[in-house]
Amino acid sequence: DSSAAMVRVHIYDLDSISARFLNGRRSWTRRLGLGLFHCGIEVYGWEYCFLYYYDAWETEGLTGVQHHQPTQNGMFEHCDSLDLGRTPLTRAEVRAVIDELRNAWPSNSYHLIGRNCIHFAEELTRGLQVTLVPRWVSGLGRTAVNFAPTRWLVNCVWWFMV
């Protein structure tokens, strides 16, 4: 089992509207660090991310940690990938990290700005001992959670949705 596998973050636009108006490389919101993205972490040939399921809020124990081929998340539009460094962990050690996260990240614990795919990616990168996801990826979500009126509004909408 070889170690020192490259770790990458794959960044996705949520849809064509966010791609055009929020996340474009030349958009003022991205330059200000206010983009709105989904992301996943690739290691040893698989990409891992955190999702929720509309119909599983009452289901305890259903993990929100998913895996798929790198850059192939069918729910979002892939727009960028960045190398985060090489993990010193072996495949078996990475599997153990992922298994631990599968238990710690149930789908029904998802929150739009408080516990989402970017928070998961940050925790996974710490476990893999590589560079953290760049702050601009979490821009709008991080801004919303730190600004009380926006946090209140998002929480109201979010809890209404679930």
Side-chain angles (χ1 to χ4, degrees), residues 29-159:
T29 52
R30 183 164 173 177
R31 280 186 259 140
L32 290 173
L34 297 175
L36 189 60
F37 299 98
H38 171 79
C39 72
I41 301 296
E42 176 189 352
V43 61
Y44 284 115
W46 288 102
E47 181 179 336
Y48 299 90
C49 65
F50 179 61
L51 301 169
Y52 72 95
Y53 302 100
Y54 289 108
D55 58 351
W57 292 110
E58 304 300 322
T59 307
E60 293 295 324
L62 176 65
T63 187
V65 177
Q66 302 299 312
H67 68 278
H68 50 82
Q69 294 293 318
T71 73
Q72 301 303 307
N73 187 318
M75 296 173 60
F76 307 104
E77 300 175 23
H78 180 258
C79 65
D80 209 350
S81 297
L82 302 169
D83 291 344
L84 300 178
R86 295 187 173 279
T87 182
L89 304 182
T90 65
R91 284 181 190 269
E93 291 167 328
V94 168
R95 272 193 301 273
V97 169
I98 298 295
D99 287 345
E100 186 176 312
L101 293 176
R102 284 187 196 280
N103 292 325
W105 288 77
S107 178
N108 64 3
S109 70
Y110 188 97
H111 184 277
L112 192 59
I113 60 173
R115 186 177 170 87
N116 59 38
C117 61
I118 296 167
H119 298 105
F120 171 79
E122 290 169 344
E123 188 165 332
L124 178 53
T125 56
R126 279 191 289 277
L128 297 174
Q129 302 171 28
V130 295
T131 303
L132 296 179
V133 174
R135 290 189 64 81
W136 62 264
V137 175
S138 63
L140 193 57
R142 190 173 306 281
T143 300
V145 81
N146 290 323
F147 185 59
T150 307
R151 185 176 58 244
W152 177 85
L153 179 62
V154 169
N155 281 333
C156 288
V157 170
W158 182 247
W159 294 122

